Amino acid sequence: MGIHGLSKVIGDHAPSGSKENEIKNYFGRKIAIDASMSIYQFLIAVRSDGSQLTNEAGEITSHLMGMFYRTIRMVENGIKPVYVFDGKPPHMKSGELAKRKERREEAQKGLAQAEETGDAESMEKFSRRLVKVTPEHNAECKKLLKLMGVPYVEAPCEAEAQCAALVKTGKVYATGTEDMDALTFGSSVLLRHLTFSEARKMPIREFYLDRILTELELSHDEFIDLCILLGCDYCDSIKGIGPKRAIDLIKQYKSIEEIVKHIDTKKYTLPEEWPYQEARELFKNPEVIKDEDVELKWENTNEDELIQYLVEEKGFSEDRIRSGIKKLAKARKGSTPRTTRFLFQSSSFSESFK
């Protein structure tokens, strides 16, 4: 979920904090990409008949196809992507995960009813709600990235927090995800829609944390409390307080503790168990890999093993995969514009992210 309604809050109250951009304008940028979010987007992509992309053996391959071609698309546009995979979810997320499980169970019942009545539209809707990124999906995508020579990071906990840490230490320029809580974790730049298909015709939406804080007239600590009030993955929010009221209260009282002292708790219902302090601490000091322990490095594409994996094991078209490999090599070797040669070319065709 991220932060409930945060993008609208920014649009309404801090419009200078975001803008639309084109992928070509990130030429030369290193971007940390939320791998699970990307994989989820690829998994819910369906054919015109509503079925998922599979090979002849019936194995779902949309996550591999999506990651292969979208990564190539980014590299062709001069972007150096770094994928970040989720680790173990924090204990505080257990409530949100339980809610998601309940929603999947409800979706399963809805799907069964839709199948009985032959309601194709409802079948597609409920099928999408049942999509879940599994450890197997992650493992397959990690193998793909390794063979492509694209670096990835395995976060100890939340991927968005690790992405934000990479941004804050200057390892990368921005976080690429749909989850707005990357801003709450402190990513100075957030890019949404980066890994969407070109067919979606969705411009990239770029958010700037410093401009958002300036226009909202909030410190980052106050912004974190605002995000908790809006609704996050780690605890409930105060019932009856909407976005505008939340902003007004934070500006007036500066913290959740002071807000609780001053609001009418008969009118605004506090959660029975409300570990907002722990949620705040998680946003401020998340579990991430230390800067000195992160090495982001391009390696040579292993063409033979990539063909073996995607074509022979997963049933992809050999012509299409070889074409994709050529595009990747062309971008990295410098057959595209001169600036790309500077960014990607080296004697061994390897590039360290410095």
Side-chain angles (χ1 to χ4, degrees), residues 1-4 86 88-97 99-100 157-162 179-182 184-185 224 227-228 231-237 271 273-284 286-287:
M1 180 183 73
I3 306 300
H4 184 69
D86 278 315
K88 184 179 179 180
H91 174 71
M92 291 192 67
K93 204 171 184 176
S94 59
E96 173 61 22
L97 295 176
K99 291 177 184 176
R100 293 179 187 179
C157 197
E158 298 279 51
E160 306 98 294
Q162 187 66 60
D179 280 346
M180 296 294 290
D181 58 0
T184 323
F185 282 115
I224 289 173
C227 291
I228 293 171
C232 67
D233 289 344
Y234 309 120
C235 64
D236 293 325
S237 53
E273 295 184 11
W274 195 26
Y276 67 86
Q277 297 99 331
E278 290 89 339
R280 177 195 290 151
E281 180 62 21
L282 195 154
F283 282 124
K284 292 176 67 173
E287 185 181 359

Side-chain angles (χ1 to χ4, degrees), residues 10-218:
I10 293 170
D12 291 344
H13 301 277
S16 69
S18 71
K19 71 173 184 179
E20 290 184 352
N21 215 332
E22 298 180 65
I23 192 170
K24 65 182 181 181
N25 293 330
Y26 298 103
F27 202 94
R29 297 293 193 183
K30 292 167 282 189
I31 298 175
I33 297 172
D34 182 348
S36 294
M37 176 61 68
S38 298
I39 294 169
Y40 176 78
Q41 291 168 346
F42 301 140
L43 287 172
I44 63 173
V46 296
R47 300 180 188 273
S48 58
D49 62 359
S51 63
Q52 286 188 302
L53 302 171
T54 59
N55 58 20
E56 291 184 356
E59 298 175 314
I60 295 173
T61 57
S62 52
H63 56 305
L64 294 172
M65 179 176 289
M67 186 156 285
F68 182 67
Y69 288 111
R70 297 296 164 237
T71 301
I72 291 172
R73 177 189 174 218
M74 285 187 277
V75 174
E76 283 189 304
N77 281 278
I79 292 173
K80 297 197 268 191
V82 179
Y83 286 90
V84 180
F85 289 83
D86 278 315
K88 184 179 179 180
H91 174 71
M92 291 192 67
K93 204 171 184 176
S94 59
E96 173 61 22
L97 295 176
K99 291 177 184 176
R100 293 179 187 179
K101 183 179 179 181
E102 289 178 7
R103 290 195 291 268
R104 282 196 297 273
E105 290 173 352
E106 291 174 2
Q108 189 66 62
K109 294 177 182 177
L111 177 60
Q113 293 175 355
E115 288 175 339
E116 287 181 10
T117 59
D119 185 344
E121 184 177 342
S122 293
M123 286 168 60
E124 180 181 341
K125 178 181 70 174
F126 289 119
S127 293
R128 285 174 178 266
R129 292 180 184 177
L130 288 169
V131 169
K132 183 180 179 181
V133 178
T134 67
E136 183 179 6
H137 293 139
N138 285 330
E140 290 179 335
C141 287
K142 289 174 187 177
K143 181 175 181 178
L144 171 65
L145 292 170
K146 185 175 181 179
L147 295 177
M148 292 178 73
V150 176
Y152 65 83
V153 175
E154 296 183 78
C157 197
E158 298 279 51
E160 306 98 294
Q162 187 66 60
C163 288
L166 294 174
V167 176
K168 287 189 283 187
T169 57
K171 293 277 188 180
V172 300
Y173 167 70
T175 297
T177 184
E178 302 308 302
D179 280 346
M180 296 294 290
D181 58 0
L183 293 172
T184 323
F185 282 115
S187 181
S188 57
V189 182
L190 166 64
L191 306 180
R192 301 186 83 188
H193 316 322
L194 178 63
T195 63
F196 278 16
S197 167
E198 289 178 304
R200 295 282 296 273
K201 296 182 179 179
M202 291 284 289
I204 295 168
R205 172 62 67 171
E206 184 167 350
F207 294 85
Y208 312 91
L209 181 58
D210 59 346
R211 298 181 192 177
I212 293 166
L213 297 180
T214 297
E215 197 160 355
L216 290 177
E217 298 180 331
L218 298 177

